[in-house]
Amino acid sequence: MGDAEIIPIGTRGRPGRGQGSGKPSAASRSLAPGPRKAAPKKERPAPQPEADQTVADDLGTPEATEPAGTERPAARRAPAYAEERAPTGGIPAGDWLVAFQHAARELFGEQWEPQLARFLAFLRRRVTGDYVVDEYGFDQEVTERFLMAALRPIAQKWFRIEVRGIENIPAEGGALVVSNHSGTIPVDGLMTLVTIHDRTGRFLRPLGADLVFKSPMVSTLARKSGATLACNEDAERMLRGGELVGVWPEGFKGIGKPYAERYKLQRFGRGGFVSAALRTQVPIIPLSVVGAEEIYPLVANLPSLARVLGLPYIPVTPLFPWLGPLGLVPLPSKWLLEFGEPIRTDEFDVGAAEDPMLVFNVTDEVRETIQSTLYSLLMQRQSVFR
């Protein structure tokens, strides 16, 4: 079989169509009717950033109308890309330091350097264990630097607490502060802590319920802030040691009562706090708190769910649980705290704590003092929120 002629596909066998012929086909001549001169070779310009070209187009600069291939003068060249800069370029370390110092002064004031030094020293002590915790777990440094610092703006700016009779708290020695309890959540205890510390410099040592020390995280914070279990043994040891002890005899009955029963004191238990005061011969200071009842107005309760969860009650307020976490924000009611005149116990005999009638009478006296003061403060209050 002889050599066959190879015809490329699509040429239909006509010369000049894919045959390598020097004469172009009719289709090619229609696309390029005349010969074209080769353009002189020019040096290709360096690529320019897209943002620079966009700005030139918007401003109507000559770069926007220059034909392709025209090289710009050196004076109008765009800056080099970031990757083309020197590896040591950027903001100098000195500028970073100046910016940090300026931000620190704006945030912490002119005394930011001593504050930073004290904070670093605090961290060093916590890491090395060079700090003191008493036998009850009270950490004075953490309480003063963090807990009090966090509660202080709430007491001063949110609740705008007004204090009366603070001079009735002794400057030293043991004393028992007895207060009414309210607010659905025991915020009144925290506000009493920070108020007494700011006005007298003393730390109030609260007596807490069992539930406080069974709750995770809450129990640790309670211990570090100076709280201990509400039992006569711990209360008497603290009072004999010269501590200022706080107790809320109403317990959960006080903070969990409906809004319709606000400022009506519940039963003060069996008078265990009076027995502790009589045995240690320390004064009892009644405290009346107005304003805490309105922060979470309790309108309903879910006892079945509370029993399942092991809680004394599940509150339902006008905002919770309908608004979710936002409903936990307390209402900004105006608070009044009045410390009454101390009730002396050193005038009784040593065995007075064993007399149940005497204990009952002193307990009733403390309760009536607080209740009458609450009514008096309510009469003086102009509004719930001012």
Side-chain angles (χ1 to χ4, degrees):
M1 184 174 179
D3 293 337
E5 183 181 5
I6 300 175
I7 301 175
I9 298 174
T11 63
R12 299 181 183 177
R14 288 180 289 177
R17 296 178 62 87
Q19 295 267 357
S21 172
K23 185 179 179 180
S25 63
S28 299
R29 289 195 299 271
S30 65
L31 294 175
R36 208 168 38 168
K37 295 181 180 181
K41 292 185 178 180
K42 293 185 179 181
E43 186 178 355
R44 188 173 183 180
Q48 299 296 328
E50 183 179 352
D52 292 343
Q53 184 62 35
T54 304
V55 173
D57 294 343
D58 294 340
L59 299 178
T61 55
E63 290 85 352
T65 58
E66 287 176 358
T70 303
E71 187 174 3
R72 296 183 185 181
R76 292 189 294 176
R77 285 185 180 274
Y81 290 108
E83 56 266 25
E84 297 177 6
R85 296 175 183 171
T88 57
I91 303 177
D95 293 350
W96 281 111
L97 181 59
V98 171
F100 172 77
Q101 292 174 343
H102 178 72
R105 279 194 298 271
E106 291 292 330
L107 187 60
F108 302 108
E110 294 295 334
Q111 300 299 321
W112 70 272
E113 289 180 294
Q115 293 182 16
L116 178 61
R118 287 192 292 267
F119 179 70
L120 294 177
F122 168 78
L123 291 181
R124 180 188 60 79
R125 289 193 297 272
R126 308 310 294 189
V127 172
T128 59
D130 186 18
Y131 57 93
V132 179
V133 176
D134 71 2
E135 57 183 328
Y136 304 98
F138 174 52
D139 192 328
Q140 178 176 332
E141 190 174 34
V142 168
T143 301
E144 194 167 12
R145 286 182 174 271
F146 291 95
L147 180 63
M148 297 298 177
L151 296 177
R152 190 169 294 112
I154 302 175
Q156 296 177 353
K157 305 298 183 181
W158 192 254
F159 295 130
R160 308 172 306 283
I161 295 179
E162 181 181 337
V163 184
R164 303 176 183 178
I166 194 66
E167 65 277 0
N168 291 320
I169 294 181
E172 58 183 12
L176 183 65
V177 177
V178 182
S179 175
N180 60 307
H181 213 12
S182 60
T184 305
I185 296 178
V187 180
D188 55 351
L190 298 176
M191 295 298 103
T192 303
L193 258 69
V194 68
T195 300
I196 291 178
H197 178 264
D198 288 351
R199 301 301 179 99
T200 67
R202 301 195 65 178
F203 291 94
L204 183 67
R205 308 296 297 270
L207 299 180
D210 297 351
L211 181 62
V212 174
F213 300 97
K214 292 179 181 179
S215 304
M217 296 182 63
V218 176
S219 60
T220 303
L221 181 60
R223 285 290 185 187
K224 288 187 176 296
S225 63
T228 190
L229 189 63
C231 62
N232 280 10
E233 290 78 9
D234 283 355
E236 292 175 18
R237 286 174 60 196
M238 281 188 172
L239 291 172
R240 287 194 178 98
E243 300 288 350
L244 185 65
V245 179
V247 63
W248 291 262
E250 292 178 280
F252 292 116
K253 300 187 302 296
I255 60 176
K257 62 178 177 289
Y259 185 69
E261 299 180 12
R262 61 191 181 278
Y263 299 114
K264 295 179 181 178
L265 294 184
Q266 306 297 305
R267 194 171 69 90
F268 268 23
R270 299 177 181 177
F273 67 95
V274 172
S275 300
L278 289 171
R279 290 191 181 97
T280 55
Q281 301 286 290
V282 299
I284 299 175
I285 303 170
L287 170 60
S288 304
V289 180
V290 167
E293 295 276 14
E294 289 84 10
I295 61 173
Y296 298 112
L298 194 147
V299 296
N301 187 13
L302 303 176
S304 300
L305 182 59
R307 283 193 295 269
V308 172
L309 298 177
L311 299 175
Y313 57 89
I314 298 293
V316 177
T317 72
L319 301 180
F320 180 82
W322 325 114
L323 298 183
L326 187 61
L328 296 176
V329 177
L331 297 178
S333 58
K334 168 72 175 179
W335 284 33
L336 298 174
L337 271 66
E338 182 167 332
F339 296 89
E341 293 185 5
I343 299 174
R344 298 183 59 177
T345 60
D346 55 355
E347 298 176 349
F348 298 99
D349 297 334
V350 178
E354 310 304 328
D355 185 352
M357 287 304 299
L358 177 62
V359 171
F360 175 80
N361 290 336
V362 176
T363 302
D364 190 59
E365 180 184 357
V366 175
R367 184 179 180 279
E368 289 300 323
T369 301
I370 296 175
Q371 183 68 82
S372 61
T373 306
L374 287 176
Y375 289 147
S376 176
L377 293 175
L378 289 172
M379 293 289 293
Q380 299 173 29
R381 186 173 64 168
Q382 298 178 359
S383 172
V384 174
F385 299 105
R386 62 188 180 93

